[in-house]
Amino acid sequence: MTTRPSVFPGLAAADALRQFRQASPLVHCMTNDVVQSITANVLLALGASPAMVIDAREAAQFSAIASALLVNVGTLTSARAESMLAAIHAANAANKPWVLDPVAVGALRWRSEFCQEIIRFRPAAIRGNASEIMALSGLSASGRGVDSADSSGAALPAAEALARQTGAIVAVTGEIDYITDGAQCLAVSGGDPLMTRVVGTGCALSAVVAAFVSLPGNRLSHVAAACRVMSCAGELACRDAKGPGSFTAAFLDSLYLLDDRHLTETATVGGAQ
């Protein structure tokens, strides 16, 4: 039975962002080649420190040092898969959280098999679109590469089942983001359709999720806060942006300038359906 989502309050997001900026997490981003620049810039704008260490000889060592690890399979290769496994094992040994972004799982077989393998190693969180989360949970889904043809609401039962299976906080993102631990569910609305016209906003969100799960406290709330911080910055950026080019600059500025007032005045409404 699917849990009725609760709307995530802006005050909780504001509290988490203050904690985030005090901690300034160091995030080990094993992410895809297409989004490395925007991912690093998003983390820097928020006050975190990004690092992209990929080679297996260094990845394991760095995961033990970092605050959190992001594993994004967008441009997966055999060598990168080896490095990711080494980093995951090192992060677990050092008691550091790691986050999975299962890009295009369900659409391509090898990455789907790889992600099924690594979720056995207990990710702290999984962030994906509806089709990715449904496929990772073993349900049929409608996706086209990185694009989802399913709604986040339709994927909520799969997200809850995946959370119970893996012990991870699962965030299924879309027009409304749903964040669940398998027993509770939070809803985060907001953002703007223009965010989908820029490469990397979803992948950058996964890095922000990794940074937030490194914080002490309620992990479910922290993942929801990551989603709300990004959607709020997207709303603010779209007020002045004329298109994808100006949006990117405005989005980074909005992340940098984001404060309690923005998160509470533009708090989510109507997200729990």
Side-chain angles (χ1 to χ4, degrees):
M1 181 177 177
T2 301
T3 305
R4 181 174 177 81
S6 300
V7 175
F8 184 64
L11 281 173
D15 287 343
L17 182 59
R18 284 197 301 272
Q19 185 181 357
F20 177 99
R21 284 176 168 155
Q22 290 172 355
S24 187
L26 171 61
V27 187
H28 181 186
C29 300
M30 302 188 78
T31 193
N32 72 71
D33 295 336
V34 181
V35 302
Q36 288 194 15
S37 179
I38 190 171
T39 297
N41 284 330
V42 162
L43 289 171
L44 286 168
L46 280 172
S49 297
M52 281 68 173
V53 180
I54 300 300
D55 192 274
R57 291 167 292 186
E58 296 182 329
Q61 179 184 359
F62 196 79
S63 284
I65 298 169
S67 305
L69 166 68
L70 168 66
V71 173
N72 175 312
V73 299
T75 50
L76 192 63
T77 65
S78 296
R80 188 162 292 188
E82 179 185 348
S83 295
M84 288 173 171
L85 277 168
I88 288 168
H89 290 313
N92 284 343
N95 200 29
K96 300 296 181 68
W98 69 277
V99 170
L100 173 64
D101 187 335
V103 178
V105 160
L108 296 167
R109 187 171 66 183
W110 177 50
R111 71 182 55 215
S112 300
E113 293 171 349
F114 178 70
C115 286
Q116 288 292 343
E117 176 187 358
I118 63 175
I119 60 174
R120 297 185 295 111
F121 302 122
R122 311 293 288 182
I126 301 169
R127 200 293 310 173
N129 66 35
S131 296
E132 292 161 350
I133 295 301
M134 292 172 74
L136 193 60
S137 73
L139 299 180
S140 60
S142 302
R144 186 184 63 180
V146 299
D147 297 325
S148 176
D150 299 290
S151 72
S152 54
L156 182 53
E160 292 180 328
L162 186 61
R164 289 189 291 267
Q165 173 194 346
T166 62
I169 305 299
V170 177
V172 53
T173 53
E175 185 175 350
I176 298 174
D177 300 337
Y178 294 104
I179 302 93
T180 180
D181 61 3
Q184 305 174 74
C185 182
L186 300 172
V188 174
S189 57
D192 189 277
L194 187 55
M195 297 177 74
T196 66
R197 309 306 295 175
V198 175
V199 170
T201 52
C203 293
L205 169 57
S206 295
V208 174
V209 167
F212 271 85
V213 298
S214 73
L215 303 176
N218 187 312
R219 188 164 279 173
L220 178 68
S221 181
H222 286 334
V223 174
C227 292
R228 182 57 195 143
V229 162
M230 291 287 278
S231 70
C232 183
E235 292 166 19
L236 295 170
C238 288
R239 292 177 183 177
D240 299 318
K242 296 180 176 63
S246 55
F247 168 79
T248 301
F251 182 56
L252 294 174
D253 287 346
S254 295
L255 289 167
Y256 179 74
L257 297 170
L258 201 62
D259 60 19
D260 291 9
R261 177 177 57 85
H262 295 126
L263 288 165
T264 53
E265 287 181 356
T266 58
T268 58
V269 292
Q273 301 186 4

